[in-house]
Amino acid sequence: MRLYVKNLIRRIPGAEPLARAVGLAPDNLRTFLLEMLPKNSLGAEIGVWRGDFSARLLEVVQPKQLHLIDPWKHEPSAMYKYALYGGLTKRGQEEMDRHYADVCARFQAQAARGQVTIHRGFSADVLGQFPDAFFDWVYIDGNHLYEYVKKDLELSLRKTKPGGFVAGDDYVGGQWWKDGVTKAVDEFAKTQAAELVSLRDRQFVFRRKS
Ligand SMILES: C[S@@+](CC[C@H](N)C(=O)[O-])C[C@H]1O[C@@H](n2cnc3c(N)ncnc32)[C@H](O)[C@@H]1O
């Protein structure tokens, strides 16, 4: 029965991230990744939504600085019909504004002591403002369409120190983003600047070479 529900969730576009987000599917797939990331590091999460994974990053990785990047912008077009920030919202932009306010409240204490910084903006704009080779790691979970993932990978690598990690979620096809993540990641794996160190449980992990 459990397997049936799991398979059903997998087949409905957009259902899996939603099921995970509301606690109907376990989010233990990413534990191995959390354990790979260095403690006391400088990191960024692209695509925050309600901050559930941000909380796990803080708990397990205990970063010195965590930069949370998300525009919290509702996308009304048909392309985003099954996205958590598109057609799956009940109240559109009002709901995204609510998520932003909730994330600010949720991490208020960490922000006050300088551990968390919340950036409301698109990853390309926000990441671009950091010096090159700044981060120890960047986790990519924003817009999953090909052009965005490609750009996030390139920019994140540039902003990550040699030896640091560029990782991300949803390395899987057949969802609303089609082959956006898999295609961008497979292409990126051919670049000389990064080594693909792990590809499991829908997660991809690159290490910057130099
Ligand atoms: C799947 S949710 C993130 C879930 C979160 N990482 C977690 O695991 O709890 C995707 C998020 O990406 C954000 N997003 C969409 N386009 C983006 C962009 N260009 N840059 C950064 N974030 C983006 C959306 O607003 C949404 O909150």
Side-chain angles (χ1 to χ4, degrees):
M1 178 62 180
R2 256 202 203 150
L3 192 65
Y4 171 76
V5 174
K6 216 168 144 188
N7 286 337
L8 188 69
I9 287 173
R10 282 217 169 123
R11 289 224 296 274
I12 303 170
E16 189 153 0
L18 184 65
R20 252 204 266 163
V22 299
L24 286 175
D27 190 6
N28 52 13
L29 296 179
R30 302 191 264 190
T31 305
F32 86 93
L33 168 72
L34 289 165
E35 288 167 355
M36 274 176 87
L37 299 176
K39 298 237 180 335
N40 207 30
S41 45
L42 304 187
E45 182 186 16
I46 296 175
V48 177
W49 199 49
R50 299 192 320 189
D52 293 343
F53 192 60
S54 323
R56 294 195 70 206
L57 285 164
L58 284 166
E59 185 193 342
V60 180
V61 183
Q62 297 166 23
K64 189 156 53 182
Q65 281 181 29
L66 176 61
H67 292 269
L68 302 178
I69 304 167
D70 197 310
W72 284 282
K73 179 182 178 298
H74 177 243
E75 294 292 351
S77 74
M79 173 76 86
Y80 296 95
K81 186 175 172 194
Y82 295 108
L84 291 173
Y85 52 98
L88 293 184
T89 59
K90 285 199 194 104
R91 293 184 308 280
Q93 188 55 49
E94 192 190 324
E95 193 167 319
M96 298 310 288
D97 291 342
R98 167 55 47 200
H99 291 329
Y100 170 65
D102 288 348
V103 166
C104 290
R106 187 172 186 174
F107 302 117
Q108 195 178 18
Q110 293 89 338
R113 60 172 183 259
Q115 187 187 19
V116 166
T117 307
I118 299 168
H119 305 263
R120 191 171 190 176
F122 295 100
S123 50
D125 299 331
V126 177
L127 269 186
Q129 293 165 15
F130 285 89
D132 289 354
F134 177 83
F135 293 106
D136 294 297
W137 54 269
V138 176
Y139 184 72
I140 300 172
D141 194 13
N143 189 321
H144 288 7
L145 294 175
Y146 171 73
E147 290 300 336
Y148 291 85
V149 185
K150 180 178 154 67
K151 180 84 186 159
D152 280 346
L153 283 164
E154 288 166 359
L155 200 49
S156 299
L157 194 76
R158 182 144 66 81
K159 301 297 172 185
T160 297
K161 295 168 189 165
F165 295 107
V166 172
D169 196 19
D170 290 323
Y171 180 85
V172 65
Q175 303 288 317
W176 69 263
W177 55 87
K178 305 209 166 58
D179 64 352
V181 179
T182 49
K183 185 173 173 217
V185 167
D186 291 349
E187 281 177 11
F188 198 69
K190 293 177 190 147
T191 64
Q192 296 302 308
E195 175 197 1
L196 183 63
V197 290
S198 190
L199 199 55
R200 65 175 261 211
D201 298 340
R202 301 165 68 111
Q203 310 300 299
F204 56 88
V205 186
F206 289 97
R207 186 186 283 118
R208 179 171 168 175
K209 285 184 187 163
S210 57

